[in-house]
Amino acid sequence: MSLTKFDYYAPERVEDACRLLMEKGEGAMVMAGGTDLLIKIQRGLLKTQTLIDLQKIESIHDITFDKDKGLSIGAMARLNDVANHPVIKEKFPAVSEAALATANVQIRNMGTVVGNLCNAAPSADNAPVLMAMGAVVNLVRSNGERQIPLEAFFQGPGLTVIQKGEIVTSVFVPTPPAGSGASYQHISARGKVDISAVCVGVMLTMKGKTCQTARIVLGAVAPVPMRALRAEKVIEGNPISKEVLEKAGIEASKECKPISDLRAAAEYRKILVGVLTARAVNEAAKRASKKPN
Amino acid sequence: MKQLVTLNVNGNTYSLAIDPWRTLNEVLREDLNLTGTKLGCGDGDCGACTVLVNGRSVSSCLTLAVAVQGKEITTVEGLAQSGEKLHPIQEAFIEHGAIQCGFCTAGMEMSALNLLKQNPSPTEEEIRTAIAGNLCRCTGYYKIVEAIGDAAKKMKV
């Protein structure tokens, strides 16, 4: 590939990165793994004069877990670090599975979960589960910070609420309540490495055999990852029976708004949404039953 | 503006003045003449450019050379460093006929090394997952999968 010319900085502190972003103005961009960003620069989709590499900022490489609060995934935590992290595998298996479902080994060794979110592709593999689990994005700027629910983070394909001079330093996932379970289901034309044609993240809270709360998030079937609110209502207050799963799938299928593109036709995506929603709800319920409240 | 960088490739240290927008793939091939590493798609999809950085496989086409200063870079040339005895992975690829046109081979071998360092006894499924990001248009993969399984045994001896 041939990249357009840019200056390169690798600051060691978040505040230096924020300051550089402000100083260098419009053409300044931050890079985590670079696996999406460098392709966009190469294709001329982004005009970059200054590239600010975040890899030397040690504090944002961390993955930390506090059982009372939750899981924090730093902006430089690589997809494979998240996929293989023992605590994430044990306590947040769907988060690990979504990271493992992203691209191929090499890209997972380079790319990051936070980068996957900031790239804001409608098909981002890590978005549905994190959104279903109520994740919160931590944004830092020179004179402060703010926390935004992931559900309010995406504004359109490639667009987020990140303001000029802001950097996402981590994404936080609250510890799921007892009796809850989550699942990630995805499908693509070419198995393990292709971008998902449809992806679904679900988190349920169960009391006995009855579902108390459901959050269903659909990816790659709307401009941003979307809640399937009507499908959630079908499940809440009911046992996870075959009929309920089928009804929830039909509702989710109706409420999604897919387009046809090279990865799948809109009609096919709608069918897949039904199938994957039912599978994800079913798996989330099974996982919930393994740690009852 | 060019930046002075020091790269550690296959145990050798190179000091270079390079433009910050140049990829590791370009610098390896054009400046260091290490042309064993190929450039395929340039998008991180095909795996032909795979090298190890600090022991982990990456796409050198999506890695900036300035960003890997001070890190340990291993290319296919680093597998048989003496220039005489091949690495067990290379031996296995030859013995199993896992090379046809050869364009994917360097990347396949580096992905195999990445796998076998973490998992010395992989199942067939694990081997297939490990090379999911390496495309081969000749072999149909079967002989490559066999070769990596055999390389695992050779490396334990």
Side-chain angles (χ1 to χ4, degrees):
Chain A
M1 87 172 161
S2 189
L3 288 160
T4 53
K5 298 177 180 181
F6 49 73
D7 290 330
Y8 173 87
Y9 294 88
E12 291 178 11
R13 300 183 313 164
V14 174
E15 49 266 44
D16 294 336
C18 292
R19 185 179 44 75
L20 272 168
L21 256 184
M22 291 306 284
E23 270 175 25
K24 301 292 174 185
E26 278 304 306
M29 284 161 202
V30 294
M31 176 175 88
T35 54
D36 283 310
L37 187 73
L38 293 179
I39 291 173
K40 286 184 176 175
I41 295 173
Q42 177 211 358
R43 292 186 182 162
L45 300 172
L46 292 175
K47 303 271 176 264
T48 309
Q49 274 93 47
T50 307
L51 196 64
I52 302 163
D53 187 344
L54 300 180
Q55 66 161 331
K56 288 205 175 147
I57 306 174
E58 271 177 35
S59 60
I60 60 170
H61 284 256
D62 293 345
I63 296 169
T64 55
F65 175 65
D66 175 331
K67 68 179 181 352
D68 298 322
K69 291 179 187 155
L71 170 72
S72 176
I73 299 172
M76 279 306 305
R78 314 278 177 178
L79 288 154
N80 264 342
D81 293 335
V82 173
N84 299 323
H85 196 280
V87 173
I88 299 179
K89 279 165 86 169
E90 189 203 329
K91 300 194 187 298
F92 301 83
V95 173
S96 160
E97 287 155 11
L100 191 62
T102 316
N104 58 40
V105 179
Q106 294 92 320
I107 300 297
R108 289 196 297 276
N109 280 336
M110 306 165 76
T112 64
V113 168
V114 167
N116 186 234
L117 301 176
C118 292
N119 186 54
S123 58
D125 278 301
N126 296 274
V129 167
L130 291 174
M131 236 168 96
M133 296 188 79
V136 175
V137 176
N138 195 37
L139 294 127
V140 175
R141 60 183 188 281
S142 286
N143 56 350
E145 60 179 279
R146 58 183 181 135
Q147 281 76 37
I148 300 283
L150 186 57
E151 199 173 342
F153 180 72
F154 301 108
Q155 295 200 313
L159 298 173
T160 68
V161 299
I162 301 173
Q163 301 277 314
K164 197 180 161 209
E166 271 186 330
I167 294 172
V168 177
T169 53
S170 63
V171 60
F172 175 78
V173 196
T175 299
S180 67
S183 171
Y184 181 60
Q185 300 291 326
H186 65 109
I187 200 155
S188 63
R190 290 183 170 213
K192 296 204 185 294
V193 293
D194 203 5
I195 292 167
S196 290
V198 172
C199 49
V200 179
V202 167
M203 184 167 113
L204 302 182
T205 313
M206 304 289 290
K207 190 160 194 181
K209 292 213 177 317
T210 307
C211 172
Q212 286 191 305
T213 60
R215 282 170 68 98
I216 301 172
V217 181
L218 313 175
V221 290
V224 297
M226 61 169 279
R227 291 273 297 275
L229 296 166
R230 292 209 303 271
E232 292 173 4
K233 287 281 165 289
V234 169
I235 299 166
E236 286 175 349
N238 286 308
I240 307 299
S241 62
K242 211 177 154 206
E243 293 72 35
V244 167
L245 285 175
E246 203 172 305
K247 255 177 93 180
I250 290 168
E251 279 305 321
S253 179
K254 278 194 216 157
E255 57 192 312
C256 68
K257 307 172 193 73
I259 57 165
S260 291
D261 64 13
L262 79 169
R263 278 185 272 280
E267 298 76 15
Y268 184 52
R269 281 197 159 101
K270 277 189 169 282
I271 296 167
L272 288 177
V273 162
V275 173
L276 296 184
T277 298
R279 277 185 202 164
V281 169
N282 196 31
E283 183 176 62
K286 275 191 189 145
R287 283 180 169 166
S289 69
K290 283 184 190 149
K291 44 171 197 167
N293 50 9
Chain B
M1 200 180 72
K2 283 191 174 17
Q3 295 192 6
L4 286 176
V5 298
T6 304
L7 296 180
N8 175 350
V9 185
N10 303 327
N12 301 315
T13 305
Y14 300 90
S15 294
L16 308 146
I18 52 173
D19 291 315
W21 54 85
R22 295 187 73 214
T23 65
L24 177 61
N25 188 273
E26 291 169 337
V27 171
L28 287 171
R29 292 180 54 83
E30 296 164 14
D31 296 42
L32 305 183
N33 208 23
L34 294 169
T35 54
T37 303
K38 305 305 180 204
L39 177 66
C41 66
D43 277 354
D45 284 327
C46 79
C49 70
T50 305
V51 301
L52 302 194
V53 172
N54 285 351
R56 297 172 78 167
S57 60
V58 303
S59 301
S60 63
C61 73
L62 292 181
T63 301
L64 294 177
V66 287
V68 289
Q69 292 187 73
K71 296 182 183 178
E72 198 179 297
I73 300 157
T74 310
T75 70
V76 70
E77 288 89 349
L79 286 182
Q81 198 123 46
S82 68
E84 287 168 19
K85 192 169 168 12
L86 291 176
H87 188 278
I89 292 173
Q90 294 171 310
E91 281 176 5
F93 268 62
I94 294 170
E95 284 164 17
H96 285 266
I99 304 168
Q100 287 188 26
C101 87
F103 199 82
C104 74
T105 307
M108 283 287 182
E109 290 178 348
M110 298 317 284
S111 283
L113 183 63
N114 179 67
L115 167 70
L116 298 178
K117 282 169 86 160
Q118 293 167 38
N119 180 356
S121 309
T123 62
E124 185 186 328
E125 173 78 18
E126 285 166 340
I127 294 171
R128 288 184 179 274
T129 303
I131 59 167
N134 293 80
L135 302 185
C136 170
R137 302 291 78 173
C138 305
T139 65
Y141 300 102
Y142 192 80
K143 289 170 187 294
I144 294 172
V145 173
E146 272 185 350
I148 296 172
D150 195 30
K153 290 187 198 125
K154 286 178 191 280
M155 284 168 72
K156 270 184 246 165
V157 178

